[in-house]
Amino acid sequence: MRRSRMGRIAILVAATAAFAACSGPSADLGESPTAAPVAATPLKSVAVVTHGSPGDAFWNVVKNGAEAAGADLGVAVEYNSSGDPGEQAKLVDNAVAQHVDGLVVSMANPQALRRSVENAVASGIPVVTINSGEAESAAVGAIGHVGQSERQAGAAAGRRLHDAGKTTMLCVIHEAGNIGANQRCAGATDGFAGRATTLQVDINNPTDAQSRIKGALEADHSIDAVLTLNSQIAARAVDGVREAHARASVATFDLNPDVVEAIRNGSLLFAVDQQQYEQGYLPVVMLQLYRRNLNTVGGGAPVQTGPAFVDRNNVDAIAELVARGTR
């Protein structure tokens, strides 16, 4: 690859890292006691292992970002995912057995993944965590984390709903055991400054999820805000509000074409956009810089990709990018 391209990529990472805190633990390469010795070598292969469900629109954008980075850098990128924590751990183990040059992994269930990720680090495979597991990233030996701080993002969403005049919020958790989802609702409750409750649903059973949301609204007519944490559940919440003849407004985390259309027609107030394309793209760049030049990014703090917000003021500018699969 030409030096000019490497320079442009390095500038891109540095600019994004400006959102991370300037202070943090040292990036000393010998800091992690479990890490195998490293040397500057080319990055040829990267495994990306996430907790996304098959066909999930959000994770398809992460995949697109990772594969685009691989194409730009001349790196073979293989993407795999499983919503089952045990299966996801096995996918990490498989990547280690294949001796990949770098690993990107989301840690929605850190306890289930810890041993597998630590084994990767001990095998000399640099790891970047993404999306979930920010607090556990350094502890498992990862060289960095790319994502949004979920509690802070939740607080920002809660404040937006409060500023919109809402007084009673229902926060819908779509994956049991997902630490990031729980952090989002906790943050939303902090920022909302009103009465807030949570509802557990199953993303793999969308019909039941819609029924549960409808039932919650019928049981408590004071609910005037529903916050979902996933774009697919957002559509179910909109339908649940309509079926319950409720007065609640719906907002959501994450984007897909349905969310864009719902914002346009007023069915959704806003979407919290964590710009997940970056969560796929930037870790491959970080691994390239680390393997070639032993660089780290973030200074021990996460590289923040959000929260950004999409509402009726900017949705038209974002819509084409969502359709393209990059937002």
Side-chain angles (χ1 to χ4, degrees), residues 206-224:
T207 301
D208 182 67
Q210 181 174 323
S211 177
R212 287 176 180 271
I213 293 169
K214 175 188 174 185
L217 292 168
E218 290 174 337
D220 185 351
H221 295 287
S222 71
I223 295 173
D224 56 5

Side-chain angles (χ1 to χ4, degrees), residues 86-98:
E87 290 300 318
Q88 189 190 3
K90 290 180 182 178
L91 291 171
V92 173
D93 293 339
N94 290 342
V96 174
Q98 293 168 10

Side-chain angles (χ1 to χ4, degrees), residues 28-308:
D28 181 358
L29 295 174
E31 191 170 25
S32 173
T34 59
V38 296
T41 57
L43 180 74
K44 297 179 180 178
S45 61
V46 170
V48 181
V49 181
T50 77
H51 65 276
S53 301
D56 188 295
F58 175 92
W59 289 105
N60 285 344
V61 177
V62 176
K63 179 183 179 182
N64 290 344
E67 291 179 343
D72 287 347
L73 298 175
V75 175
V77 172
E78 182 176 353
Y79 178 94
N80 287 287
S81 67
S82 176
D84 179 85
E87 290 300 318
Q88 189 190 3
K90 290 180 182 178
L91 291 171
V92 173
D93 293 339
N94 290 342
V96 174
Q98 293 168 10
H99 305 291
V100 295
D101 295 326
L103 174 66
V104 180
V105 60
S106 64
M107 296 184 66
N109 192 317
Q111 185 175 355
L113 291 169
R114 175 179 292 272
R115 178 172 293 181
S116 295
V117 175
E118 288 179 340
N119 286 342
V121 173
S123 299
I125 300 173
V127 176
V128 176
T129 58
I130 62 169
N131 184 263
S132 299
E134 172 190 325
E136 291 77 16
S137 179
V140 298
I143 64 169
H145 178 83
V146 180
Q148 72 177 5
S149 294
E150 302 294 7
R151 188 152 189 151
Q152 294 176 17
R159 285 192 296 271
R160 279 208 164 209
L161 290 171
H162 173 78
D163 293 344
K166 307 305 176 183
T167 60
T168 306
M169 178 181 68
L170 178 69
C171 190
V172 183
I173 297 175
H174 59 279
E175 289 178 346
N178 184 328
I179 187 172
N182 292 324
Q183 290 168 344
R184 287 179 179 181
C185 276
T189 299
D190 293 341
F192 186 61
R195 189 165 71 88
T197 58
T198 60
L199 175 69
Q200 179 73 59
V201 302
D202 182 0
I203 190 173
N204 296 310
N205 192 342
T207 301
D208 182 67
Q210 181 174 323
S211 177
R212 287 176 180 271
I213 293 169
K214 175 188 174 185
L217 292 168
E218 290 174 337
D220 185 351
H221 295 287
S222 71
I223 295 173
D224 56 5
V226 178
L227 179 63
T228 65
L229 312 180
N230 173 274
S231 56
Q232 292 171 284
I233 297 298
R236 296 296 178 167
V238 169
D239 289 343
V241 168
R242 186 187 67 252
E243 290 181 355
H245 303 289
R247 63 188 184 94
S249 298
V250 181
T252 190
F253 278 70
D254 304 331
L255 293 172
N256 67 11
D258 291 337
V259 167
V260 167
E261 183 56 33
I263 292 173
R264 280 173 157 167
N265 66 33
S267 300
L268 280 173
L269 278 181
F270 61 82
V272 184
D273 180 18
Q274 62 178 301
Q275 303 179 108
Q276 70 271 29
Y277 185 85
E278 294 181 338
Q279 295 177 19
Y281 195 102
L282 292 177
V284 180
V285 179
M286 291 165 66
L287 289 168
Q288 174 80 297
L289 290 170
Y290 182 78
R291 290 300 297 255
R292 285 196 170 204
N293 207 45
L294 302 185
N295 292 129
T296 56
V297 176
V303 176
Q304 300 283 357
T305 65

